[in-house]
Coordinates of all heavy atoms in Angstrom, one line a residue:
I71 N -0.5 22.9 -40.1 CA 0.8 23.4 -40.4 C 1.8 22.3 -40.4 O 2.6 22.1 -41.3 CB 1.2 24.5 -39.4 CG1 0.4 25.8 -39.7 CG2 2.7 24.9 -39.6 CD1 0.6 26.9 -38.7
G72 N 1.8 21.5 -39.3 CA 2.7 20.4 -39.2 C 2.5 19.3 -40.3 O 3.4 18.8 -40.8
A73 N 1.2 19.1 -40.6 CA 0.9 18.1 -41.6 C 1.3 18.5 -43.0 O 1.9 17.7 -43.7 CB -0.6 17.8 -41.6
Y74 N 1.1 19.7 -43.3 CA 1.5 20.2 -44.7 C 3.0 20.3 -44.8 O 3.5 20.1 -45.9 CB 0.7 21.5 -45.0 CG -0.6 21.3 -45.7 CD1 -1.7 21.2 -45.0 CD2 -0.6 21.2 -47.1 CE1 -3.0 21.0 -45.7 CE2 -1.8 21.0 -47.8 CZ -3.0 20.9 -47.0 OH -4.2 20.7 -47.7
L75 N 3.7 20.7 -43.8 CA 5.1 20.8 -43.9 C 5.7 19.4 -44.1 O 6.6 19.2 -44.9 CB 5.7 21.4 -42.6 CG 5.4 22.9 -42.4 CD1 6.0 23.3 -41.0 CD2 6.1 23.7 -43.5
M76 N 5.2 18.4 -43.4 CA 5.7 17.1 -43.6 C 5.3 16.6 -45.0 O 6.1 15.9 -45.7 CB 5.1 16.1 -42.5 CG 5.5 14.7 -42.7 SD 7.3 14.4 -42.6 CE 7.5 14.6 -40.9
A77 N 4.1 16.9 -45.5 CA 3.7 16.4 -46.8 C 4.6 17.1 -47.9 O 4.9 16.4 -48.9 CB 2.2 16.8 -47.0
M78 N 4.9 18.3 -47.7 CA 5.8 19.0 -48.7 C 7.1 18.3 -48.8 O 7.7 18.1 -49.9 CB 5.9 20.5 -48.3 CG 4.6 21.3 -48.5 SD 4.7 22.9 -47.7 CE 5.9 23.7 -48.6
H79 N 7.7 18.0 -47.6 CA 9.0 17.3 -47.6 C 8.9 15.9 -48.3 O 9.8 15.6 -49.1 CB 9.5 17.2 -46.2 CG 10.7 16.3 -46.1 ND1 12.0 16.7 -46.6 CD2 10.9 15.0 -45.6 CE1 12.8 15.7 -46.4 NE2 12.2 14.7 -45.8
L80 N 7.9 15.2 -48.0 CA 7.7 13.8 -48.6 C 7.5 13.9 -50.1 O 8.1 13.1 -50.8 CB 6.5 13.1 -47.9 CG 6.7 12.8 -46.4 CD1 5.5 12.1 -45.9 CD2 8.0 12.1 -46.1
Q81 N 6.8 14.9 -50.5 CA 6.6 15.1 -52.0 C 7.9 15.4 -52.7 O 8.3 14.9 -53.7 CB 5.6 16.2 -52.2 CG 4.1 15.8 -51.9 CD 3.5 14.9 -53.0 OE1 4.1 14.6 -54.0 NE2 2.3 14.5 -52.8
L82 N 8.7 16.3 -52.1 CA 10.0 16.7 -52.7 C 11.0 15.5 -52.6 O 11.8 15.4 -53.6 CB 10.6 17.9 -51.9 CG 9.8 19.2 -52.1 CD1 10.4 20.3 -51.3 CD2 9.8 19.6 -53.6
A83 N 10.9 14.7 -51.6 CA 11.8 13.6 -51.5 C 11.5 12.6 -52.6 O 12.4 12.0 -53.2 CB 11.7 12.9 -50.1

Side-chain angles (χ1 to χ4, degrees):
I71 292 174
Y74 268 91
L75 289 175
M76 177 60 73
M78 292 165 65
H79 170 71
L80 297 182
Q81 288 282 359
L82 291 176

